Amino acid sequence: GAVVSQHPSWVICKSGTSVKIECRSLDFQATTMFWYRQFPKQSLMLMATSNEGSKATYEQGVEKDKFLINHASLTLSTLTVTSAHPEDSSFYICSAIQGAGQPQHFGDGTRLSIL
Amino acid sequence: DAKTTQPPSMDCAEGRAANLPCNHSTISGNEYVYWYRQIHSQGPQYIIHGLKNNETNEMASLIITEDRKSSTLILPHATLRDTAVYYCISTGTGNQFYFGTGTSLTVIP
């Protein structure tokens, strides 16, 4: 149980386009979802915390207008990278929890490459 | 910012126990200690978590010191598939994870 699915797993697109990444909790309802970014040979960096039906809370230094997060239901959150540029190329990972104090369950990540 | 510190790398012989230490000296009373591992190009995998008491599951054991300032993850019989980066994370009521640099464990045949 506690499976989190991310889609797509890999995307390559041209500079200036917008890219949407989906994160779904398949077998549980997620009260909170999280979005992370990971650069090569580095650790995961928390970008934002998303609660269903409310605005996401972004970490310091993360541009909310560039990384749009929508959490429309208890099983789906989306991250849209707007007007993507090569420096946005990274590994984006989502996670979800069923409730406070519960472990985060992670998706398998989306590798984004901007040409 | 991450509130845990771990050695950057460790080696372990296949079949032996792997003991991975973590310092979380600023942990507060309501903060859990979580352990995850990440194999290259995958999302982190949950291993175990605890608050005060030692915990054991089918994957590992977690030993938390009485003062809760440090913990040790024990993989009882390491296999080659246990080669990964292991992260120790402490979190409070906000449930946010701030990852440190983790320990890169290499299991040697």
Side-chain angles (χ1 to χ4, degrees):
Chain A
V3 177
V4 174
S5 174
Q6 252 182 272
H7 179 80
S9 56
W10 197 302
V11 59
I12 301 173
C13 60
K14 294 181 179 180
S15 183
T17 59
S18 294
V19 179
K20 180 184 283 189
I21 302 169
E22 291 187 351
C23 178
R24 294 180 185 272
S25 55
L26 298 186
D27 52 0
F28 66 98
Q29 293 189 325
T31 57
T32 307
M33 289 185 169
F34 304 88
W35 287 95
Y36 297 83
R37 181 167 54 181
Q38 185 176 31
F39 292 107
K41 297 188 178 182
Q42 294 186 24
S43 187
L44 283 78
M45 184 189 76
L46 179 65
M47 299 176 68
T49 301
S50 172
N51 291 296
E52 184 263 341
S54 61
K55 290 184 179 179
T57 302
Y58 291 81
E59 294 296 309
Q60 190 172 7
V62 178
E63 300 176 59
K64 62 180 181 180
D65 293 331
K66 180 162 189 65
F67 299 100
L68 301 179
I69 293 173
N70 183 274
H71 193 160
S73 77
L74 285 172
T75 59
L76 174 64
S77 176
T78 61
L79 169 68
T80 301
V81 184
T82 62
S83 186
H85 293 287
E87 58 267 28
D88 298 322
S89 298
S90 189
F91 191 48
Y92 291 87
I93 309 170
C94 73
S95 71
I97 59 173
Q98 289 179 268
Q102 295 294 310
Q104 290 188 24
H105 299 283
F106 287 81
D108 274 338
T110 297
R111 191 160 301 283
L112 174 63
S113 296
I114 308 299
L115 304 178
Chain B
D1 291 339
K3 297 181 287 186
T4 61
T5 55
Q6 299 174 251
S9 64
M10 291 180 65
D11 292 338
C12 177
E14 187 179 16
R16 303 295 293 270
N19 297 285
L20 291 87
C22 177
N23 286 321
H24 31 81
S25 58
T26 60
I27 196 170
S28 60
N30 62 347
E31 291 183 336
Y32 286 83
V33 177
Y34 288 86
W35 282 85
Y36 285 77
R37 69 183 181 186
Q38 185 179 28
I39 298 171
H40 182 63
S41 296
Q42 296 182 20
Q45 177 190 21
Y46 167 76
I47 301 173
I48 200 167
H49 75 286
L51 183 62
K52 296 180 182 179
N53 299 322
N54 298 336
E55 302 287 345
T56 296
N57 63 19
E58 64 278 6
M59 290 183 68
S61 294
L62 173 60
I63 308 298
I64 303 174
T65 58
E66 192 170 343
D67 62 8
R68 302 207 328 118
K69 292 186 177 181
S70 66
S71 62
T72 301
L73 178 74
I74 301 172
L75 307 178
H77 304 286
T79 70
L80 299 179
R81 290 186 297 176
D82 292 324
T83 292
V85 177
Y86 287 76
Y87 294 102
C88 166
I89 306 156
S90 65
T91 184
T93 54
N95 295 297
Q96 281 87 359
F97 282 1
Y98 296 101
F99 283 76
T101 53
T103 296
S104 178
L105 174 68
T106 302
V107 179
I108 302 169

